[in-house]
Amino acid sequence: MSQSRLHKPYYRNGENHRGGADVNFVDILNVFGFSSANVGKWVTSHEQQLAANLIFDSFCDLQDILQVPPQVISLNGSLSLAFGTGGQKNTCAHYNSQTKTLALAKNAGGGALAHEWFHAFDHYICQRMFSQPPHRGFASSTWLEKHAVIAHPLNHLLSDFFSTLFLSDDGKKGSSYLQCSVRLDKHLKQFYYARPEELSARAFEAVIQHHSIKNHFLVKGTKQSQEAQLGIYPDGEYLNRLSQLTLTYFNWLGQAITAKSPTK
């Protein structure tokens, strides 16, 4: 029997957040404040251990990249985790907007965490960005539908990110990134790559992989994969612009949350 993908080495160059020690899913809940963590009954104790270490390191690296406090990773305690249960067939990771659960498959999941986390963030922030958001809506698609944005510097910055993502510089047509995804969908006779939620999540994971902190369990495949060769990820100077907007947004968000936190 072949080993699961959990056993393969995942490159990372971030800090040694665990100090060489093992962690478990309870530690992940306590550090980041997730609502809950559900592990499938077919996951062995050894697989749980491997997964917990990989997921913990990935969330720590994501926190370092975004420069945010740990509660941002759990979306202020609203996000649940599932490992080896609650996913979708033939997918390595999935975000369920109804249950607000980020689920990773036992034998997959590696490299997809950043993408699915942004789906969760996109869903979470929608209710806080728009004055009359749709029920269970995503900020990316809601922005494209031209809903009124609540006046706030963070919301304006996120609007700039969506504008850069979806529109040309003059705002009169779709961005090259969007147009490439539309062409690919037409070729494949589907509507997937050009969905605003997917465009946003792919852009986010490209930004994360573009950062100097590398973690292949968190994100992989935005540069050299077959999909990347098709042009479904932003690159070049365009990626640099998106990176600046993304990292500035989360840096400001982190500063705002830290400023509000009571001092000990």
Side-chain angles (χ1 to χ4, degrees), residues 31-264:
V31 170
F32 297 101
F34 287 99
S35 177
S36 63
N38 186 20
V39 178
K41 62 181 180 180
W42 301 112
V43 179
T44 68
S45 58
H46 181 55
E47 289 169 335
Q48 278 197 50
Q49 185 64 79
L50 290 171
N53 287 347
L54 287 166
I55 292 170
F56 183 87
D57 287 345
S58 294
F59 283 138
C60 285
D61 289 341
L62 182 60
Q63 183 185 346
D64 283 350
I65 291 169
L66 299 181
Q67 291 294 291
V68 293
Q71 63 262 43
V72 171
I73 303 301
S74 68
L75 303 178
N76 203 26
S78 66
L79 184 61
S80 294
L81 296 178
F83 180 75
T85 182
Q88 287 190 340
K89 188 176 181 181
N90 299 324
T91 62
C92 58
H94 172 67
Y95 172 66
N96 187 322
S97 61
Q98 291 187 325
T99 61
K100 299 178 182 177
T101 300
L102 198 167
L104 281 77
K106 183 178 81 166
N107 292 322
L113 193 56
H115 181 105
E116 297 305 326
W117 183 86
F118 191 81
H119 279 321
F121 171 79
D122 194 8
H123 181 228
Y124 172 85
I125 206 66
C126 184
Q127 300 297 316
R128 293 150 183 84
M129 185 176 181
F130 302 96
S131 56
Q132 292 183 311
H135 183 55
R136 293 178 180 168
F138 288 78
S140 52
S141 54
T142 303
W143 185 89
L144 268 178
E145 293 165 358
K146 299 183 178 180
H147 285 245
V149 175
I150 297 171
H152 189 280
L154 282 167
N155 289 338
H156 296 325
L157 192 55
L158 193 52
S159 289
D160 289 344
F161 169 77
F162 288 137
S163 179
T164 303
L165 198 64
F166 299 133
L167 303 178
S168 60
D169 289 343
D170 61 9
K172 294 181 179 180
K173 60 182 180 180
S175 64
S176 297
Y177 173 51
L178 171 61
Q179 292 182 50
C180 179
S181 298
V182 169
R183 287 194 298 270
L184 182 58
D185 273 349
K186 286 182 178 179
H187 174 72
L188 297 173
K189 296 181 172 59
Q190 65 178 18
F191 177 48
Y192 176 72
Y193 289 116
R195 289 178 181 174
E197 301 98 312
E198 294 301 326
L199 286 161
S200 301
R202 292 200 310 275
F204 179 78
E205 61 176 319
V207 166
I208 299 305
Q209 188 168 357
H210 193 54
H211 197 275
S212 59
I213 297 175
K214 306 294 183 184
N215 183 317
H216 286 178
F217 191 82
L218 176 64
V219 59
K220 188 179 181 182
T222 70
K223 294 183 180 293
Q224 302 296 332
S225 66
Q226 280 187 317
E227 291 83 2
Q229 303 309 312
L230 294 173
I232 65 166
Y233 293 101
D235 61 7
E237 182 55 34
Y238 181 57
L239 175 56
N240 289 334
R241 289 168 58 197
L242 291 173
S243 293
Q244 183 177 10
L245 288 166
T246 302
L247 298 180
T248 300
Y249 171 84
F250 281 103
N251 179 265
W252 287 10
L253 176 62
Q255 290 184 39
I257 292 173
T258 301
K260 284 184 177 181
S261 299
T263 55
K264 293 183 179 182

